């Protein structure tokens, strides 16, 4: 018998595969998960190659310990996708492939349970007839169990146990009475057999507008790789376009799968609800979600459902872009401009960019939707590389786009008009009239530079974090100062630690402060604040949002969170505070983001036939950004900003990468970057790359760690990629810092 060797990818920061001897009974297949010894541990890896020789000396070769035969192997296409991401983002294949899988699959000890056959139970006609009568009225848990059985096609024992701890004994009893039956199917095997047909017109579908119809036709008629930019104003009904395009495709191809990415699933429950409602006739488990908020078991189940083809639609956040979907036939990226698509740690990938690559690899359409496309995407469309589909009007005829009014704060002050705690008179008056009319308002605060901080008027002292160079944020109800960078916390001091002045006060206005002010200047208004603090508890954001939907709130105050896709029906006024800081940011993308954010938040107004109004408080009403915004002119803004970027030689006209280093001292971090820059110069392709000076980061000191970064830039993506690849071993050889990483296409520069 000849020897068999496998080359395995493991989750290690090394861009190589590891050779193992293979002597298990299952025939090894590329894409199989295996357990292998690695150093002193056992780890799970992915077979990427099979060979009959190995260059590793026989004495050093170790054997594969176990193989996950029950898990269908990952396809070579999927491995190639992970390989591309690894290559592009300067990582090892295993560092991409393994973290892309659910935790349960990366732990060989759990394989058996994961693929174990779990008993399921199904209600029989006798049970349906007799059970409700037979149960005592007060047996609430038993009733829950009976209800679940009546509603679900079948119920897994583990789910039943969650409803009733004695589910197993109860089921034995009910089985004996002939009320239920056991249907033994493994989760995975069961899902594989669920290849449901699509519903034929269950609920009446909305009649598409002409623009929507054209967009759906273009997407449905696409052959092969076809990138689309669906540029639709807020409320133009982009979701309806996705739903129709998916329905057409899934109905035409009984095994096709669709991947729909959203920036944040928890903040947009209506989006998921729309998909579930529209595809309600699909079998159980045919729509799954994938995001970091899922419990581990559910995440594993959903991942496997996608991997085995049982899930027809995967609705997920950025991490879903690496889901294994063997029959993937279309990708949708909703709100494609959202920075949430960029992973900011570990493998720093852009899910949007990978979506384009993946669609090309699979030769399928990909739809990027947004009211304010990223300038990268807009530029592709301008060059004709992406097909542009435009929805210029709101879907609901009577829902006009809101009018935008700029409140000139300088003029307010010059004319001596009262403003209360940063709320200008016209905004207060508008809020009052909305409350009187029973309409809702949003007050949006730009978070950047806007957290309340504690300061002393007498000596100029400002509360800072002792561990960081950041300002501490004031949390009034808890009477606490907190550092948002490192988490340091302390009680509010009674007096100024510098001069003893007892009259220390918050500077700037945070959401809490505005909430308080609103309650006093708009008497009787029910004010609700939604931000990261008020929604820290899981699920509380949804509860708060449902209060808004139920009309129990007059004025909603919040940050970015309230700007996202929520469809608040009765909001007719949006007030925007402190947007100006973004105009003068050192980050060249700040104005692009501000435009997107303000468009997004403006889009919350006037959806249900009531005219909407947006009021933006600013000291710079003549700024081009605000002017474009008040004309609802994304195209003008995008094209003029692109022209500026071209002149300034900034992305998308050049490609960037960032080397970041963290050291015990700033000198150590900077010295590392200098050495790295020196090592870079002679590399292939480096002559076409500009290396800038190393700079300390704005927040230099987090947790007594000093950070600095080095920017690289090139007009040639290929040259940048080649030199980055050659740089990796050089960087690994350098010492002197705690950590370093390379980010390709960084968003925050
Ligand atoms: P967008 O994502 O483009 O901002 P949405 O998809 O949220 O817009 O749609 C806005 C509203 O318009 C939703 O309430 C949706 O149900 C409704 N809608 C979409 N298309 C139509 C249509 N063709 N006819 C009637 N209502 C529609
Ligand atoms: Zn002081
Ligand atoms: Zn800190």
């Amino acid at each position: 018998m000849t020897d068999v060797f496998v080359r395995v990818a493991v989750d290690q920061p090394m861009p190589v595969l590891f050779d193992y001897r293979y002597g298990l009974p299952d025939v090894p297949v590329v894409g199989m998960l295996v357990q292998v010894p690695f150093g002193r541990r056992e780890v799970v890896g992915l077979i990427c190659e099979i060979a009959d020789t190995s260059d590793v000396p026989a004495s050093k070769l170790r054997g594969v310990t176990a193989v996950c035969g029950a898990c269908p192997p990952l396809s070579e296409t999927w491995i190639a996708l992970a390989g591309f991401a690894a290559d592009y983002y300067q990582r090892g294949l295993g560092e991409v492939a393994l973290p892309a899988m659910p935790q349960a699959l990366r732990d060989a000890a759990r394989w058996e349970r994961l693929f174990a056959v779990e008993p399921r139970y199904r209600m029989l006609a006798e049970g349906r007839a007799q059970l409700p009568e037979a149960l005592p009225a007060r047996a609430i848990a038993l009733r829950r169990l009976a209800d679940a059985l009546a509603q679900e096609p079948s119920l897994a024992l583990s789910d039943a146990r969650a409803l009733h701890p004695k589910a197993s004994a109860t089921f034995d009893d009910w089985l004996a009475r002939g009320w239920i039956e056991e249907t033994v199917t493994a989760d995975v095997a069961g899902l594989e057999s669920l290849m449901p047909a699509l519903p034929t017109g269950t609920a009446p579908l909305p009649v598409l507008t002409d623009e929507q119809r054209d967009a759906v036709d273009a997407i449905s008629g696409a052959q092969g790789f076809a990138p689309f930019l669906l540029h639709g104003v807020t409320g133009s009904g982009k979701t309806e376009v996705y739903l129709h395009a998916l329905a057409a495709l899934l109905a035409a191809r009984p095994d096709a799968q669709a991947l729909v990415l959203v920036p944040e699933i928890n903040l947009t429950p209506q989006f998921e609800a729309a998909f579930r409602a529209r595809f309600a006739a699909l079998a159980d488990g045919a729509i799954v979600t994938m995001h970091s908020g899922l419990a581990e078991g559910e995440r594993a189940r959903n991942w496997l459902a996608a991997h085995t083809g049982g899930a027809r639609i995967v609705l997920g956040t950025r991490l879903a872009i690496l889901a294994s979907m063997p029959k993937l036939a279309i990708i949708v990226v909703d709100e494609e401009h959202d920075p949430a698509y960029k992973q900011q740690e570990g493998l720093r990938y852009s899910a949007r960019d990978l979506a384009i690559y993946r669609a090309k690899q699979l030769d399928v359409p990909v739809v990027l939707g947004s009211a304010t496309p990223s300038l990268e995407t807009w530029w592709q469309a301008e060059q004709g590389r992406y097909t542009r589909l435009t929805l210029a009007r709101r879907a609901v005829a009577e829902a006009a786009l809101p009018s935008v009014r700029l409140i000139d704060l300088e003029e307010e002050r010059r004319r001596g008009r009262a403003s209360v705690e940063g709320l200008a008179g016209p905004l207060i008056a508008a809020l009052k009239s909305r409350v009187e009319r029973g309409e809702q308002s949003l007050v949006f605060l730009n978070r950047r530079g806007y957290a309340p901080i504690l300061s002393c008027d007498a000596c100029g002292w400002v509360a800072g974090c002792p561990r960081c160079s950041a300002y501490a944020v004031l949390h009034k109800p808890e009477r606490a100062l907190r550092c948002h960078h490192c988490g340091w916390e302390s009680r509010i001091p009674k007096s100024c630690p510098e001069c003893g002045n007892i009259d220390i006060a918050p500077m700037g206005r945070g959401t809490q402060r505005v909430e308080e002010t609103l309650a006093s200047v708009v008497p009787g208004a029910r004010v609700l604040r939604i931000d990261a603090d008020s929604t820290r508890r899981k699920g509380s954001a949804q509860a708060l949002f449902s209060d808004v939907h139920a009309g129990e709130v007059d004025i909603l105050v919040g940050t970015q969170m309230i700007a996202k896709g929520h469809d608040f029906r009765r909001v007719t006024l949006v007030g925007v505070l402190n947007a100006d800081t973004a105009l003068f940011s050192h980050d060249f993308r700040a104005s692009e983001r501000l435009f997107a954010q303000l468009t997004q938040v403006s889009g919350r107004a006037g959806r249900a036939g009531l005219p909407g109004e947006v009021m933006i408080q600013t000291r710079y009403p003549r700024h081009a950004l605000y002017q474009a915004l008040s004309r609802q002119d994304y195209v003008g803004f995008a094209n003029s900003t692109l022209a500026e970027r071209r002149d300034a030689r900034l992305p998308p006209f050049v490609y960037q990468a960032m080397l970041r280093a963290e050291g015990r001292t700033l000198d150590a971090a900077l010295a590392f970057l200098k050495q790295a820059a020196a090592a870079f110069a002679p590399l292939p392709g480096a002559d076409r790359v500009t290396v800038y000076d190393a700079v300390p980061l704005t927040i230099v000191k987090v947790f007594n760690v000093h950070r600095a970064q080095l920017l690289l830039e090139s007009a040639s993506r290929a040259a940048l990629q080649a030199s980055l690849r050659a740089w990796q071993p050089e960087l690994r050889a350098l010492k002197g810092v705690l950590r370093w990483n390379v980010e390709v296409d960084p968003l925050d520069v």
Side-chain angles (χ1 to χ4, degrees):
M1 197 180 115
T2 57
D3 287 331
V4 179
F5 302 94
V6 290
R7 306 219 157 89
V8 176
V10 297
D11 186 6
Q12 290 294 321
M14 272 171 275
V16 287
L17 300 177
F18 297 89
D19 286 17
Y20 290 89
R21 202 193 319 273
Y22 187 92
L24 298 171
D26 288 87
V27 178
V29 177
V30 167
M32 266 184 165
L33 290 174
V34 287
Q35 186 187 14
V36 292
F38 193 88
R40 292 165 184 218
R41 294 175 303 139
E42 292 277 328
V43 299
V44 168
L46 176 71
I47 299 184
C48 292
E49 288 168 28
I50 296 168
D52 44 24
T53 60
S54 169
D55 295 338
V56 180
S59 63
K60 289 202 172 165
L61 266 181
R62 302 163 81 180
V64 172
T65 333
V67 45
C68 188
C71 181
L74 286 139
S75 68
E76 304 216 13
T77 314
W78 186 84
I79 296 174
L81 169 70
F84 168 80
D87 230 45
Y88 188 79
Y89 294 110
Q90 308 295 320
R91 294 290 173 134
L93 173 59
E95 286 179 279
V96 177
L98 287 145
M101 293 173 206
Q103 189 59 40
L105 219 54
R106 280 181 273 154
D107 180 357
R110 287 151 77 179
W111 285 346
E112 201 169 325
R113 259 199 65 206
L114 195 58
F115 292 93
V117 175
E118 194 190 4
R120 300 182 73 89
Y121 298 87
R122 201 168 72 83
M123 181 82 102
L124 295 172
E126 291 80 5
R128 227 172 265 281
Q130 296 169 20
L131 236 174
E133 309 286 291
L135 292 181
R138 292 165 155 273
I140 293 168
L142 283 177
R143 286 200 172 273
R144 262 207 304 266
L145 208 52
D147 287 348
L149 277 171
Q151 279 157 19
E152 305 291 330
S154 72
L155 194 62
L157 185 57
S158 56
D159 293 332
R161 284 212 177 98
L163 298 171
H164 191 327
K166 295 207 177 106
S168 185
T170 306
F171 282 170
D172 284 345
D173 178 36
W174 293 358
L175 278 167
R177 293 171 192 258
W179 289 345
I180 61 174
E181 69 174 3
E182 195 177 324
T183 63
V184 182
T185 40
D187 262 359
V188 178
L191 286 165
E192 233 170 356
S193 63
L194 296 173
M195 287 298 187
L198 239 106
T200 40
T202 27
L205 302 184
V207 181
L208 294 182
T209 64
D210 290 347
E211 289 179 333
Q212 284 175 319
R213 169 59 43 214
D214 289 346
V216 171
D217 288 348
I219 298 164
S220 306
Q223 299 290 323
F225 172 59
F228 292 99
L229 165 59
L230 179 63
H231 178 219
V233 298
T234 54
S236 59
K238 293 185 283 294
T239 314
E240 203 55 54
V241 172
Y242 309 147
L243 289 168
H244 273 79
L246 257 58
L249 180 105
L250 298 187
R253 289 201 19 212
D255 62 345
Q257 295 179 298
L259 174 60
V260 180
L261 299 183
V262 290
E264 258 278 14
I265 246 176
N266 292 324
L267 294 181
T268 49
Q270 290 156 84
F271 195 83
E272 184 184 342
F275 277 76
R276 295 209 181 271
R278 184 62 53 85
F279 297 107
L282 284 182
D284 259 5
I287 301 183
V288 301
T289 57
M290 248 182 232
H291 56 93
S292 56
L294 288 181
E296 234 188 81
E298 195 174 8
R299 190 149 158 195
R301 270 203 298 281
N302 293 354
W303 193 90
L304 286 169
H307 178 48
T308 55
R312 307 281 313 276
I313 301 175
V314 173
L315 212 56
T317 54
R318 62 173 178 256
L319 58 86
I321 191 56
L322 289 172
S324 162
M325 298 179 70
K327 304 285 182 179
L328 183 56
I330 189 170
I331 307 177
V332 171
V333 184
D334 188 36
E335 307 293 358
E336 68 86 29
H337 65 279
D338 199 303
Y341 284 119
K342 184 76 196 260
Q343 166 88 13
Q344 296 291 8
E345 54 198 38
L347 178 77
R348 290 157 200 261
Y349 63 94
S350 155
R352 179 200 56 220
D353 295 352
L354 286 181
I356 297 286
Y357 176 83
R358 195 169 187 184
K360 198 175 204 165
Q361 182 200 29
L362 298 174
D363 214 23
V364 301
V366 52
V367 182
L368 308 182
S370 177
T372 51
S374 66
L375 291 179
E376 280 77 5
T377 298
W378 185 252
W379 178 231
Q380 295 292 338
E382 285 286 289
Q383 293 170 289
R385 297 215 182 123
Y386 298 174
T387 305
R388 185 164 23 213
L389 308 170
T390 306
L391 309 179
R393 277 173 294 281
R394 285 194 155 180
V396 183
E398 63 272 25
L401 280 169
S403 60
V404 177
R405 177 171 158 202
L406 300 167
I407 303 177
D408 184 343
L409 291 175
E410 268 315 305
E411 190 178 310
E412 290 295 310
R413 197 183 53 80
R414 252 198 332 272
R415 299 201 175 185
R417 291 208 194 111
S419 88
V420 185
E421 299 265 347
L423 290 174
L427 180 57
I428 294 176
L431 286 166
K432 279 183 177 158
S433 75
R434 290 321 191 281
V435 174
E436 277 159 22
R437 296 210 296 264
E439 296 168 10
Q440 293 178 315
S441 306
L442 298 185
V443 175
F444 173 74
L445 280 90
N446 191 37
R447 186 77 164 185
R448 273 166 202 261
Y450 214 77
I453 53 183
L454 193 66
S455 68
C456 169
D457 279 346
C459 76
W461 169 84
V462 176
C465 169
R467 291 202 299 222
C468 303
S469 54
Y471 290 121
V473 176
L474 181 64
H475 291 248
K476 220 173 166 190
E478 303 101 300
R479 302 201 49 77
L481 285 170
R482 219 174 262 152
C483 173
H484 283 196
H485 294 282
C486 76
W488 169 86
E489 196 174 318
S490 145
R491 289 184 65 77
I492 298 176
K494 292 206 166 56
S495 59
C496 171
E498 293 284 321
C499 73
N501 170 21
I502 50 166
D503 197 19
I504 47 179
M507 181 164 98
R509 273 150 229 95
T511 40
Q512 291 178 10
R513 188 93 187 278
V514 171
E515 181 189 15
E516 288 167 13
T517 308
L518 282 169
S520 68
V521 297
V522 190
R526 295 162 300 174
V527 182
L528 176 71
R529 170 173 61 94
I530 293 195
D531 59 17
D533 289 323
S534 72
T535 58
R536 193 163 296 146
R537 277 181 308 108
K538 220 179 162 191
S540 66
Q542 294 213 19
L544 293 178
F545 281 128
S546 55
D547 285 352
V548 184
H549 289 292
E552 281 159 21
V553 171
D554 298 313
I555 304 176
L556 181 65
V557 186
T559 53
Q560 273 75 317
M561 271 185 161
I562 62 169
K564 299 226 168 152
H566 275 268
D567 197 356
F568 300 122
R569 306 236 61 121
R570 296 199 57 80
V571 169
T572 58
L573 172 68
V574 171
V576 177
L577 309 184
N578 201 60
D580 288 344
T581 47
L583 299 178
F584 305 100
S585 169
H586 64 283
D587 181 347
F588 70 87
R589 284 194 177 86
S591 61
E592 178 184 349
R593 262 183 218 148
L594 181 64
F595 192 92
Q597 222 158 56
L598 295 185
T599 303
Q600 198 71 236
V601 75
S602 305
R604 304 300 106 210
R607 288 199 163 211
L610 300 162
E613 190 177 12
V614 178
M615 290 183 152
I616 302 174
Q617 297 192 172
T618 172
R619 287 182 194 285
Y620 310 93
R622 267 159 296 282
H623 193 285
L625 186 148
Y626 292 132
Q627 288 298 320
L629 199 70
S630 57
R631 295 192 309 268
Q632 323 264 12
D633 182 15
Y634 166 82
V635 177
F637 171 77
N639 288 337
S640 68
T641 311
L642 272 178
E644 285 167 26
R645 296 260 187 102
R646 189 203 298 266
D647 290 344
R649 309 231 31 82
L650 286 169
F653 301 96
V654 295
Y655 303 96
Q656 295 183 327
M658 187 77 86
L659 172 65
R660 295 200 176 85
E662 300 184 355
R664 284 252 175 266
T665 64
L666 185 58
D667 282 348
L670 291 171
F672 174 89
L673 295 178
K674 282 207 183 79
Q675 288 172 30
F680 185 86
L683 299 175
D687 54 326
R688 300 180 62 193
V689 179
T690 309
V691 181
Y692 290 91
D693 283 342
V695 287
L697 276 191
T698 339
I699 304 298
V700 221
K701 208 161 55 122
V702 171
F703 252 135
N704 293 319
V705 168
H706 296 253
R707 298 190 291 174
Q709 64 186 26
L710 183 79
L711 180 65
L712 300 101
E713 204 173 83
S714 178
S716 158
R717 183 173 256 164
L720 184 60
Q721 281 284 321
S723 54
L724 288 177
R725 185 46 73 198
W727 205 18
Q728 291 291 314
E730 309 276 342
L731 290 173
R732 271 194 285 276
L734 292 177
K735 299 271 178 290
V737 286
L738 300 166
R739 246 174 260 113
W740 57 268
N741 67 69
V742 170
E743 179 170 1
V744 179
D745 305 330
L747 271 191
D748 293 299
V749 177

